[in-house]
Amino acid sequence: MLQLAVLAADSDSGGDQREDRARRKLIADLLVASVRISWERGSPHVILTAMVSMETLVSLCKRRGFVFQSSEIYGGTGSCWDYGPLGVELKNKIKHVWWRDFVQRRPDMLGLDASILMHSSVWKASGHVDHFTDPMVDCRECRHRFRADQLAETPWVHYCPATKGNKFTIPAGEACTHCGATRTRCPDCGKGELTPPRQFNLMFKTFMGPVEEDAAVTYLRPETAQGIFVNFDNVLQSMRRKLPFGIGQIGKAFRNEITPGNFIFRTREFEQMEIEYFVNPHETVEGRPADEYWHDRWIEDCLAWFRRYGIQPDNLRLHEHARDELAHYAKRTADVQYRFPIGWSELMGIANRTDFDLKQHAKWSGKALTYFDEERKEHVVPYVIEPSAGVDRAFLAFLVDAYREEEVRGEKRVVLRFHPELAPVSVAVLPLLKKRDDIVRTAYAIRDELSRRITAVYDDTAAIGRLYRRQDEVGTPYCVTVDVQTVGDTDKGEPADGKVTIRDRDSMEQIRVDATRLGRVIDDLLGGAAWAQAAAGADRS
Ligand code: GAP
């Protein structure tokens, strides 16, 4: 559903109130048929909060250097994407705060960085060689390939005999309204017969070493999790941990998805942020089995994490896997779903994998993967709770959630309201006049100083209004402007006041602070201080 908030103009914004009301009414009338409307007071601009389309995001991402299609000059690959200068900043910041919050700040967590290529037995033990498959059918005519279990969700081409063979594209799952036929043939060409379903393994196969023979076969890892399981004992022994404890890892994973798509939502190469949290299945916490208690705790922690970095609570929900949906190793799985432009879809999964993986690896490797419970004087195989998130999907969710189109003084403003800790650029330093050497020099010096700790850029390629809009569109929370007052004007005998202007992205308010205090004010703001607090001790401009 589309959502629209038409905000009332600020009483001192200078506009004609009657005209303003009429304009808001017009917008509301135009959209009333398709959107939910709420009127709110207290902001100087109109916010149109409609769900952004995937096309708009793809275009913004390319135009502003977030995401490019991989190998674009060769026609591109449909399933791989490259992160541009701003995209890599956003992605790195997502990974940084995840690692900081879930690994570094928790006394019960440790980190790991395992290799992508592993012993081929890992994938036999984990079940990926036998079970990591999708059923596929091929068209005997056009050779297109489809997932058998998704055919019912695919629109289909039909040459209708009741209309002299006219071609129609019929919505997924529906029958032809002319002849009543349902789909039996290829949905793409409408002519070819489909082969019976065959299982297709999603792992990318490769060869270790120079000889392409069976003995050298291995796979690009389809999940980072197995690198953690096979290192369980190494970490346990080297770090002397007591249960419960967890191991976190961030890294690339590869899946030869049959139907990749929807931009970076489903790709063949992606990154995961995974945790395997080991618990003693013989213990109870608050009267409940430890694995069940910790599963619920991790679900709460993961939801809270996304909310903390700005995801609107209404756009998150939990999906409990039904019995027939559960993976063969799982006792219970709950997905955190996000309201993507393609509808509610999985953002991350939180599974109780029981002792399946450790037992499998112990069986295949011949090495005991147990924990000695001093209290009970027994060896136990820990149960595992696995919060597993995709970096690329988190990137997409943060982008969708941050996107706003607003009307400011009759003009459209596109703004990404990223959480300040995630914004690709934290501060943009802008000179008001690029012809004044002293202004430019001061602006560069401020950027250099800020960039020792945070992502700061300098830009003088347009007039100030346009520079602000550009920074809004990439989500920069604060702009710092150096002007004539900052450096003074000797010709006019005006002394320098040494102050710079800080502009807040969301309210568009501006304050002037002493340049010597700038670093501290910016640190406070990025550290979570409210704008009103920073503005309290400063001059408003
Ligand atoms: N170790 C468990 C595991 O890999 P999964 O549900 O297959 O579970 C976990 O993957 C997360 O990885 C998903 O919730 C999603 O965020 C991300 N993910 C999985 N396949 C993906 C793909 N093809 N493209 C992008 N992200 C993907």
Side-chain angles (χ1 to χ4, degrees):
M1 177 196 303
L2 291 167
Q3 283 194 353
L4 172 77
V6 185
L7 301 184
D10 209 356
S11 53
D12 59 6
S13 65
D16 180 318
Q17 295 240 333
R18 227 172 334 146
E19 193 184 300
D20 189 64
R21 221 174 302 128
R23 199 180 56 198
R24 283 185 284 126
K25 174 93 174 49
L26 176 69
I27 297 171
D29 287 348
L30 285 172
L31 295 167
V32 75
S34 56
V35 298
R36 203 170 69 207
I37 294 176
S38 62
W39 296 78
E40 292 169 28
R41 288 218 145 257
S43 172
H45 49 281
V46 176
I47 298 181
L48 306 174
T49 319
M51 171 63 87
V52 58
S53 72
M54 205 65 112
E55 292 74 37
T56 304
L57 280 184
V58 174
S59 154
L60 172 83
C61 281
K62 178 172 177 183
R63 197 160 31 83
R64 302 311 314 272
F66 281 89
V67 184
F68 308 125
Q69 196 175 18
S70 163
S71 322
E72 193 181 350
I73 59 168
Y74 288 100
T77 55
S79 56
C80 299
W81 297 87
D82 298 342
Y83 288 84
L86 295 190
V88 69
E89 291 295 340
L90 174 57
K91 203 175 180 211
N92 282 344
K93 287 182 180 182
I94 293 170
K95 290 189 282 185
H96 167 73
V97 293
W98 185 92
W99 189 260
R100 184 191 64 194
D101 297 344
F102 285 131
V103 180
Q104 293 175 326
R105 283 190 175 165
R106 290 183 62 130
D108 55 348
M109 287 290 303
L110 296 159
L112 183 79
D113 183 13
S115 63
I116 288 173
L117 296 175
M118 300 170 76
H119 196 287
S120 58
S121 296
V122 168
W123 307 111
K124 293 191 184 114
S126 67
H128 282 85
V129 171
D130 292 330
H131 300 298
F132 197 53
T133 55
D134 275 341
M136 277 175 18
V137 292
D138 293 299
C139 172
R140 294 192 200 277
E141 193 83 20
C142 70
R143 307 270 164 223
H144 283 183
R145 182 165 275 185
F146 308 90
R147 262 178 66 171
D149 55 346
Q150 287 180 348
L151 281 173
E153 295 144 38
T154 313
W156 56 288
V157 166
H158 174 54
Y159 293 90
C160 176
T163 62
K164 298 186 183 154
N166 280 346
K167 182 182 173 187
F168 298 99
T169 300
I170 300 184
E174 292 185 14
C176 172
T177 49
H178 303 285
C179 69
T182 50
R183 191 204 57 76
T184 52
R185 293 181 175 259
C186 170
D188 273 3
C189 70
K191 292 181 177 159
E193 261 182 52
L194 296 176
T195 60
R198 280 176 300 172
Q199 291 301 325
F200 174 78
N201 197 293
L202 301 186
M203 282 196 294
F204 279 99
K205 208 183 235 183
T206 187
F207 298 92
M208 194 90 95
V211 189
E212 293 196 8
E213 57 180 27
D214 284 354
V217 166
T218 189
Y219 305 91
L220 301 188
R221 67 181 177 200
E223 61 174 13
T224 60
Q226 299 303 324
I228 300 180
F229 293 127
V230 300
N231 276 297
F232 166 73
D233 198 50
N234 284 334
V235 175
L236 183 67
Q237 299 308 331
S238 58
M239 306 305 287
R240 298 163 190 274
R241 283 303 156 124
K242 283 208 156 64
L243 292 180
F245 76 92
I247 304 175
Q249 173 166 228
I250 298 178
K252 289 269 187 181
F254 303 83
R255 295 182 190 178
N256 203 0
E257 299 279 5
I258 296 159
T259 50
N262 289 317
F263 193 30
I264 51 173
F265 180 82
R266 191 182 307 285
T267 53
R268 294 200 168 109
E269 176 181 339
F270 55 98
E271 249 179 309
Q272 290 186 313
M273 308 184 278
E274 292 202 294
I275 290 166
E276 305 303 329
Y277 195 76
F278 301 97
V279 302
N280 190 334
H282 300 155
E283 275 178 1
T284 53
V285 186
E286 295 178 4
R288 302 172 58 204
D291 60 314
E292 295 179 11
Y293 168 86
W294 281 107
H295 198 173
D296 280 338
R297 278 287 298 271
W298 275 107
I299 292 172
E300 282 164 28
D301 287 357
C302 291
L303 281 168
W305 188 81
F306 282 108
R307 288 194 292 255
R308 175 179 166 189
Y309 291 102
I311 298 277
Q312 298 161 75
D314 282 358
N315 288 337
L316 288 172
R317 74 177 187 192
L318 269 189
H319 165 74
E320 286 284 344
H321 282 215
R323 199 170 273 277
D324 59 353
E325 240 183 305
L326 282 177
H328 57 281
Y329 51 73
K331 172 172 162 184
R332 176 191 168 203
T333 298
D335 289 343
V336 173
Q337 293 188 333
Y338 179 74
R339 200 201 302 251
F340 287 102
I342 50 170
W344 286 103
S345 310
E346 179 184 335
L347 172 57
M348 71 172 297
I350 305 150
N352 181 343
R353 291 180 80 125
T354 67
D355 54 8
F356 174 84
D357 301 271
L358 290 180
K359 276 190 170 159
Q360 281 294 106
H361 287 302
K363 189 169 128 194
W364 280 76
S365 68
K367 300 272 181 336
L369 296 177
T370 54
Y371 169 85
F372 187 66
D373 180 347
E374 296 281 357
E375 221 173 278
R376 296 177 183 79
K377 302 286 178 235
E378 62 180 7
H379 290 275
V380 292
V381 182
Y383 266 36
V384 178
I385 306 302
E386 181 193 61
S388 171
V391 179
D392 312 75
R393 263 183 219 182
F395 183 110
L396 187 58
F398 284 121
L399 196 63
V400 171
D401 226 80
Y403 186 91
R404 302 278 194 291
E405 287 181 13
E406 303 176 356
E407 198 208 294
V408 181
R409 285 172 222 103
E411 275 183 26
K412 181 169 129 180
R413 158 172 113 131
V414 171
V415 56
L416 293 178
R417 290 182 176 236
F418 286 128
H419 185 281
E421 284 201 82
L422 295 185
V425 175
S426 307
V427 174
V429 186
L430 316 170
L432 199 70
L433 295 174
K434 70 172 176 180
K435 287 191 185 129
R436 285 274 304 258
D437 273 359
D438 44 358
I439 292 182
V440 169
R441 255 197 330 273
T442 307
Y444 267 121
I446 290 173
R447 188 220 80 101
D448 290 350
E449 179 57 30
L450 289 174
S451 65
R452 289 151 69 106
R453 302 188 310 282
I454 59 173
T455 342
V457 298
Y458 169 93
D459 193 2
D460 66 5
T461 55
I464 193 72
R466 180 174 283 220
L467 292 180
Y468 282 152
R469 289 290 175 275
R470 276 195 206 150
Q471 294 300 330
D472 289 342
E473 209 186 4
V474 299
T476 306
Y478 305 107
C479 288
V480 171
T481 311
V482 180
D483 57 23
V484 180
Q485 270 176 278
T486 317
V487 294
D489 193 333
T490 38
D491 292 348
K492 291 187 185 162
E494 288 167 5
D497 73 358
K499 291 185 176 181
V500 292
T501 302
I502 308 177
R503 173 192 182 262
D504 174 47
R505 174 196 67 200
D506 296 345
S507 65
M508 292 182 287
E509 281 178 10
Q510 302 186 3
I511 54 172
R512 277 181 81 74
V513 299
D514 204 289
T516 53
R517 280 188 56 225
L518 177 68
R520 195 139 37 90
V521 176
I522 292 289
D523 284 349
D524 287 349
L525 287 168
L526 294 177
W531 172 253
Q533 197 182 323
D539 306 338
R540 293 204 177 238
S541 58

PDB file of all heavy atoms in Angstrom, residues 223 225 255 257 264-267 270 272 274 346-349 353 386 388-390 393, ligand 1:
ATOM      1  N   GLU A 223      27.312 -20.768   1.636  1.00  0.00           N
ATOM      2  CA  GLU A 223      26.990 -20.061   2.885  1.00  0.00           C
ATOM      3  C   GLU A 223      28.287 -19.972   3.679  1.00  0.00           C
ATOM      4  O   GLU A 223      29.184 -20.803   3.513  1.00  0.00           O
ATOM      5  CB  GLU A 223      25.914 -20.807   3.693  1.00  0.00           C
ATOM      6  CG  GLU A 223      26.325 -22.206   4.121  1.00  0.00           C
ATOM      7  CD  GLU A 223      25.320 -22.880   5.052  1.00  0.00           C
ATOM      8  OE1 GLU A 223      24.196 -22.388   5.192  1.00  0.00           O
ATOM      9  OE2 GLU A 223      25.692 -23.911   5.655  1.00  0.00           O
ATOM     10  N   ALA A 225      28.393 -20.230   6.890  1.00  0.00           N
ATOM     11  CA  ALA A 225      28.189 -20.992   8.124  1.00  0.00           C
ATOM     12  C   ALA A 225      29.154 -22.165   8.292  1.00  0.00           C
ATOM     13  O   ALA A 225      29.690 -22.384   9.384  1.00  0.00           O
ATOM     14  CB  ALA A 225      26.751 -21.508   8.153  1.00  0.00           C
ATOM     15  N   ARG A 255      25.804 -18.692  -5.090  1.00  0.00           N
ATOM     16  CA  ARG A 255      24.761 -19.670  -5.410  1.00  0.00           C
ATOM     17  C   ARG A 255      24.370 -19.493  -6.863  1.00  0.00           C
ATOM     18  O   ARG A 255      24.083 -18.375  -7.290  1.00  0.00           O
ATOM     19  CB  ARG A 255      23.514 -19.472  -4.534  1.00  0.00           C
ATOM     20  CG  ARG A 255      23.789 -19.738  -3.081  1.00  0.00           C
ATOM     21  CD  ARG A 255      22.566 -19.586  -2.210  1.00  0.00           C
ATOM     22  NE  ARG A 255      23.007 -19.622  -0.823  1.00  0.00           N
ATOM     23  CZ  ARG A 255      22.221 -19.476   0.238  1.00  0.00           C
ATOM     24  NH1 ARG A 255      20.918 -19.279   0.059  1.00  0.00           N
ATOM     25  NH2 ARG A 255      22.710 -19.537   1.462  1.00  0.00           N
ATOM     26  N   GLU A 257      21.875 -19.389  -8.593  1.00  0.00           N
ATOM     27  CA  GLU A 257      20.420 -19.241  -8.536  1.00  0.00           C
ATOM     28  C   GLU A 257      19.828 -19.389  -9.938  1.00  0.00           C
ATOM     29  O   GLU A 257      20.353 -18.820 -10.902  1.00  0.00           O
ATOM     30  CB  GLU A 257      20.039 -17.858  -7.985  1.00  0.00           C
ATOM     31  CG  GLU A 257      20.529 -17.564  -6.578  1.00  0.00           C
ATOM     32  CD  GLU A 257      19.658 -18.169  -5.502  1.00  0.00           C
ATOM     33  OE1 GLU A 257      18.713 -18.909  -5.825  1.00  0.00           O
ATOM     34  OE2 GLU A 257      19.945 -17.909  -4.305  1.00  0.00           O
ATOM     35  N   ILE A 264      19.505  -6.220  -6.330  1.00  0.00           N
ATOM     36  CA  ILE A 264      20.456  -6.940  -5.486  1.00  0.00           C
ATOM     37  C   ILE A 264      19.750  -7.871  -4.497  1.00  0.00           C
ATOM     38  O   ILE A 264      20.385  -8.421  -3.608  1.00  0.00           O
ATOM     39  CB  ILE A 264      21.378  -5.962  -4.720  1.00  0.00           C
ATOM     40  CG1 ILE A 264      20.551  -4.898  -3.984  1.00  0.00           C
ATOM     41  CG2 ILE A 264      22.363  -5.319  -5.662  1.00  0.00           C
ATOM     42  CD1 ILE A 264      21.373  -4.002  -3.084  1.00  0.00           C
ATOM     43  N   PHE A 265      18.437  -8.089  -4.686  1.00  0.00           N
ATOM     44  CA  PHE A 265      17.720  -8.947  -3.736  1.00  0.00           C
ATOM     45  C   PHE A 265      18.180 -10.400  -3.860  1.00  0.00           C
ATOM     46  O   PHE A 265      18.441 -11.068  -2.862  1.00  0.00           O
ATOM     47  CB  PHE A 265      16.202  -8.866  -3.973  1.00  0.00           C
ATOM     48  CG  PHE A 265      15.416  -9.724  -3.026  1.00  0.00           C
ATOM     49  CD1 PHE A 265      15.130  -9.271  -1.751  1.00  0.00           C
ATOM     50  CD2 PHE A 265      15.008 -11.007  -3.380  1.00  0.00           C
ATOM     51  CE1 PHE A 265      14.443 -10.064  -0.850  1.00  0.00           C
ATOM     52  CE2 PHE A 265      14.318 -11.819  -2.486  1.00  0.00           C
ATOM     53  CZ  PHE A 265      14.037 -11.334  -1.221  1.00  0.00           C
ATOM     54  N   ARG A 266      18.244 -10.904  -5.075  1.00  0.00           N
ATOM     55  CA  ARG A 266      18.698 -12.290  -5.260  1.00  0.00           C
ATOM     56  C   ARG A 266      19.764 -12.310  -6.351  1.00  0.00           C
ATOM     57  O   ARG A 266      19.488 -12.050  -7.515  1.00  0.00           O
ATOM     58  CB  ARG A 266      17.540 -13.210  -5.660  1.00  0.00           C
ATOM     59  CG  ARG A 266      17.905 -14.685  -5.605  1.00  0.00           C
ATOM     60  CD  ARG A 266      16.771 -15.581  -6.035  1.00  0.00           C
ATOM     61  NE  ARG A 266      15.534 -15.346  -5.329  1.00  0.00           N
ATOM     62  CZ  ARG A 266      15.287 -15.721  -4.071  1.00  0.00           C
ATOM     63  NH1 ARG A 266      16.201 -16.390  -3.407  1.00  0.00           N
ATOM     64  NH2 ARG A 266      14.135 -15.450  -3.503  1.00  0.00           N
ATOM     65  N   THR A 267      20.991 -12.576  -5.962  1.00  0.00           N
ATOM     66  CA  THR A 267      22.107 -12.555  -6.909  1.00  0.00           C
ATOM     67  C   THR A 267      22.882 -13.866  -6.797  1.00  0.00           C
ATOM     68  O   THR A 267      22.623 -14.673  -5.902  1.00  0.00           O
ATOM     69  CB  THR A 267      23.054 -11.384  -6.574  1.00  0.00           C
ATOM     70  OG1 THR A 267      23.414 -11.494  -5.192  1.00  0.00           O
ATOM     71  CG2 THR A 267      22.393 -10.043  -6.804  1.00  0.00           C
ATOM     72  N   PHE A 270      26.966 -12.935  -3.396  1.00  0.00           N
ATOM     73  CA  PHE A 270      26.451 -11.995  -2.388  1.00  0.00           C
ATOM     74  C   PHE A 270      27.260 -12.160  -1.109  1.00  0.00           C
ATOM     75  O   PHE A 270      28.148 -13.009  -1.035  1.00  0.00           O
ATOM     76  CB  PHE A 270      24.953 -12.237  -2.139  1.00  0.00           C
ATOM     77  CG  PHE A 270      24.608 -13.648  -1.749  1.00  0.00           C
ATOM     78  CD1 PHE A 270      24.432 -13.993  -0.421  1.00  0.00           C
ATOM     79  CD2 PHE A 270      24.461 -14.633  -2.704  1.00  0.00           C
ATOM     80  CE1 PHE A 270      24.125 -15.294  -0.049  1.00  0.00           C
ATOM     81  CE2 PHE A 270      24.158 -15.940  -2.352  1.00  0.00           C
ATOM     82  CZ  PHE A 270      23.988 -16.273  -1.019  1.00  0.00           C
ATOM     83  N   GLN A 272      27.230 -12.519   3.198  1.00  0.00           N
ATOM     84  CA  GLN A 272      26.418 -12.863   4.373  1.00  0.00           C
ATOM     85  C   GLN A 272      27.092 -12.362   5.642  1.00  0.00           C
ATOM     86  O   GLN A 272      28.320 -12.248   5.709  1.00  0.00           O
ATOM     87  CB  GLN A 272      26.259 -14.387   4.477  1.00  0.00           C
ATOM     88  CG  GLN A 272      25.375 -14.975   3.391  1.00  0.00           C
ATOM     89  CD  GLN A 272      25.122 -16.452   3.611  1.00  0.00           C
ATOM     90  OE1 GLN A 272      26.064 -17.201   3.884  1.00  0.00           O
ATOM     91  NE2 GLN A 272      23.884 -16.875   3.483  1.00  0.00           N
ATOM     92  N   GLU A 274      26.890 -13.841   9.267  1.00  0.00           N
ATOM     93  CA  GLU A 274      26.292 -14.992   9.949  1.00  0.00           C
ATOM     94  C   GLU A 274      26.870 -15.173  11.347  1.00  0.00           C
ATOM     95  O   GLU A 274      28.046 -14.890  11.594  1.00  0.00           O
ATOM     96  CB  GLU A 274      26.526 -16.272   9.144  1.00  0.00           C
ATOM     97  CG  GLU A 274      25.768 -16.283   7.828  1.00  0.00           C
ATOM     98  CD  GLU A 274      25.549 -17.691   7.300  1.00  0.00           C
ATOM     99  OE1 GLU A 274      26.548 -18.345   6.944  1.00  0.00           O
ATOM    100  OE2 GLU A 274      24.394 -18.127   7.222  1.00  0.00           O
ATOM    101  N   GLU A 346      12.028 -12.198   2.541  1.00  0.00           N
ATOM    102  CA  GLU A 346      13.025 -12.509   3.580  1.00  0.00           C
ATOM    103  C   GLU A 346      14.194 -11.537   3.562  1.00  0.00           C
ATOM    104  O   GLU A 346      14.831 -11.330   2.548  1.00  0.00           O
ATOM    105  CB  GLU A 346      13.539 -13.935   3.343  1.00  0.00           C
ATOM    106  CG  GLU A 346      14.590 -14.358   4.338  1.00  0.00           C
ATOM    107  CD  GLU A 346      15.167 -15.738   4.029  1.00  0.00           C
ATOM    108  OE1 GLU A 346      14.470 -16.550   3.382  1.00  0.00           O
ATOM    109  OE2 GLU A 346      16.312 -15.991   4.424  1.00  0.00           O
ATOM    110  N   LEU A 347      14.453 -10.958   4.736  1.00  0.00           N
ATOM    111  CA  LEU A 347      15.623 -10.109   4.920  1.00  0.00           C
ATOM    112  C   LEU A 347      16.729 -10.939   5.568  1.00  0.00           C
ATOM    113  O   LEU A 347      17.891 -10.867   5.191  1.00  0.00           O
ATOM    114  CB  LEU A 347      15.231  -8.924   5.802  1.00  0.00           C
ATOM    115  CG  LEU A 347      16.276  -7.959   6.313  1.00  0.00           C
ATOM    116  CD1 LEU A 347      17.063  -7.343   5.166  1.00  0.00           C
ATOM    117  CD2 LEU A 347      15.628  -6.849   7.117  1.00  0.00           C
ATOM    118  N   MET A 348      16.349 -11.731   6.549  1.00  0.00           N
ATOM    119  CA  MET A 348      17.305 -12.642   7.196  1.00  0.00           C
ATOM    120  C   MET A 348      16.558 -13.825   7.805  1.00  0.00           C
ATOM    121  O   MET A 348      15.333 -13.772   7.966  1.00  0.00           O
ATOM    122  CB  MET A 348      18.111 -11.923   8.271  1.00  0.00           C
ATOM    123  CG  MET A 348      17.333 -11.572   9.509  1.00  0.00           C
ATOM    124  SD  MET A 348      18.399 -10.919  10.834  1.00  0.00           S
ATOM    125  CE  MET A 348      19.486 -12.303  11.190  1.00  0.00           C
ATOM    126  N   GLY A 349      17.284 -14.874   8.136  1.00  0.00           N
ATOM    127  CA  GLY A 349      16.675 -16.041   8.785  1.00  0.00           C
ATOM    128  C   GLY A 349      17.352 -16.287  10.121  1.00  0.00           C
ATOM    129  O   GLY A 349      18.552 -16.004  10.286  1.00  0.00           O
ATOM    130  N   ARG A 353      19.505 -24.806  14.389  1.00  0.00           N
ATOM    131  CA  ARG A 353      20.049 -25.896  13.552  1.00  0.00           C
ATOM    132  C   ARG A 353      20.350 -27.137  14.383  1.00  0.00           C
ATOM    133  O   ARG A 353      20.952 -28.076  13.876  1.00  0.00           O
ATOM    134  CB  ARG A 353      21.335 -25.442  12.853  1.00  0.00           C
ATOM    135  CG  ARG A 353      21.117 -24.399  11.783  1.00  0.00           C
ATOM    136  CD  ARG A 353      22.412 -23.974  11.121  1.00  0.00           C
ATOM    137  NE  ARG A 353      22.853 -24.921  10.104  1.00  0.00           N
ATOM    138  CZ  ARG A 353      23.122 -24.613   8.832  1.00  0.00           C
ATOM    139  NH1 ARG A 353      23.012 -23.372   8.421  1.00  0.00           N
ATOM    140  NH2 ARG A 353      23.538 -25.525   7.984  1.00  0.00           N
ATOM    141  N   GLU A 386      21.303 -19.905  14.678  1.00  0.00           N
ATOM    142  CA  GLU A 386      21.988 -19.256  13.557  1.00  0.00           C
ATOM    143  C   GLU A 386      21.239 -18.026  13.020  1.00  0.00           C
ATOM    144  O   GLU A 386      20.344 -18.149  12.189  1.00  0.00           O
ATOM    145  CB  GLU A 386      22.156 -20.245  12.400  1.00  0.00           C
ATOM    146  CG  GLU A 386      22.876 -19.637  11.217  1.00  0.00           C
ATOM    147  CD  GLU A 386      22.776 -20.496   9.977  1.00  0.00           C
ATOM    148  OE1 GLU A 386      21.655 -20.736   9.495  1.00  0.00           O
ATOM    149  OE2 GLU A 386      23.822 -20.946   9.505  1.00  0.00           O
ATOM    150  N   SER A 388      21.243 -15.389  10.410  1.00  0.00           N
ATOM    151  CA  SER A 388      21.961 -15.283   9.138  1.00  0.00           C
ATOM    152  C   SER A 388      21.345 -14.190   8.272  1.00  0.00           C
ATOM    153  O   SER A 388      20.196 -14.290   7.854  1.00  0.00           O
ATOM    154  CB  SER A 388      21.887 -16.630   8.413  1.00  0.00           C
ATOM    155  OG  SER A 388      22.394 -16.508   7.113  1.00  0.00           O
ATOM    156  N   ALA A 389      22.130 -13.135   8.015  1.00  0.00           N
ATOM    157  CA  ALA A 389      21.595 -12.000   7.253  1.00  0.00           C
ATOM    158  C   ALA A 389      22.417 -11.785   5.983  1.00  0.00           C
ATOM    159  O   ALA A 389      23.619 -12.032   5.967  1.00  0.00           O
ATOM    160  CB  ALA A 389      21.648 -10.731   8.105  1.00  0.00           C
ATOM    161  N   GLY A 390      21.769 -11.326   4.937  1.00  0.00           N
ATOM    162  CA  GLY A 390      22.463 -10.970   3.707  1.00  0.00           C
ATOM    163  C   GLY A 390      22.840  -9.500   3.762  1.00  0.00           C
ATOM    164  O   GLY A 390      22.001  -8.654   4.073  1.00  0.00           O
ATOM    165  N   ARG A 393      20.924  -7.661   0.935  1.00  0.00           N
ATOM    166  CA  ARG A 393      19.499  -7.450   1.253  1.00  0.00           C
ATOM    167  C   ARG A 393      19.320  -6.386   2.322  1.00  0.00           C
ATOM    168  O   ARG A 393      18.374  -5.605   2.284  1.00  0.00           O
ATOM    169  CB  ARG A 393      18.866  -8.757   1.704  1.00  0.00           C
ATOM    170  CG  ARG A 393      18.169  -9.392   0.540  1.00  0.00           C
ATOM    171  CD  ARG A 393      17.455 -10.640   0.915  1.00  0.00           C
ATOM    172  NE  ARG A 393      17.645 -11.563  -0.181  1.00  0.00           N
ATOM    173  CZ  ARG A 393      17.137 -12.767  -0.231  1.00  0.00           C
ATOM    174  NH1 ARG A 393      16.399 -13.201   0.775  1.00  0.00           N
ATOM    175  NH2 ARG A 393      17.352 -13.533  -1.283  1.00  0.00           N
TER     176      ARG A 393
HETATM  177  N1  GAP B   1      23.446 -20.361   6.671  1.00  0.00           N
HETATM  178  C1  GAP B   1      22.047 -20.217   6.465  1.00  0.00           C
HETATM  179  C2  GAP B   1      21.723 -19.613   5.196  1.00  0.00           C
HETATM  180  O1  GAP B   1      22.559 -19.406   4.354  1.00  0.00           O
HETATM  181  P1  GAP B   1      19.726 -18.676   3.815  1.00  0.00           P
HETATM  182  O2  GAP B   1      18.323 -18.349   4.247  1.00  0.00           O
HETATM  183  O3  GAP B   1      19.892 -19.526   2.619  1.00  0.00           O
HETATM  184  O4  GAP B   1      20.407 -19.322   5.095  1.00  0.00           O
HETATM  185  C3  GAP B   1      20.649 -16.386   4.643  1.00  0.00           C
HETATM  186  O5  GAP B   1      20.525 -17.319   3.605  1.00  0.00           O
HETATM  187  C4  GAP B   1      20.490 -14.970   4.101  1.00  0.00           C
HETATM  188  O6  GAP B   1      21.411 -14.744   3.031  1.00  0.00           O
HETATM  189  C5  GAP B   1      19.106 -14.669   3.508  1.00  0.00           C
HETATM  190  O7  GAP B   1      18.172 -14.318   4.498  1.00  0.00           O
HETATM  191  C6  GAP B   1      19.430 -13.508   2.586  1.00  0.00           C
HETATM  192  O8  GAP B   1      19.497 -12.302   3.312  1.00  0.00           O
HETATM  193  C7  GAP B   1      20.828 -13.853   2.086  1.00  0.00           C
HETATM  194  N2  GAP B   1      20.757 -14.524   0.762  1.00  0.00           N
HETATM  195  C8  GAP B   1      20.530 -15.829   0.513  1.00  0.00           C
HETATM  196  N3  GAP B   1      20.556 -16.070  -0.813  1.00  0.00           N
HETATM  197  C9  GAP B   1      20.802 -14.886  -1.409  1.00  0.00           C
HETATM  198  C10 GAP B   1      20.966 -14.462  -2.783  1.00  0.00           C
HETATM  199  N4  GAP B   1      20.905 -15.335  -3.786  1.00  0.00           N
HETATM  200  N5  GAP B   1      21.197 -13.158  -3.031  1.00  0.00           N
HETATM  201  C11 GAP B   1      21.296 -12.255  -2.014  1.00  0.00           C
HETATM  202  N6  GAP B   1      21.171 -12.599  -0.717  1.00  0.00           N
HETATM  203  C12 GAP B   1      20.931 -13.887  -0.406  1.00  0.00           C
END
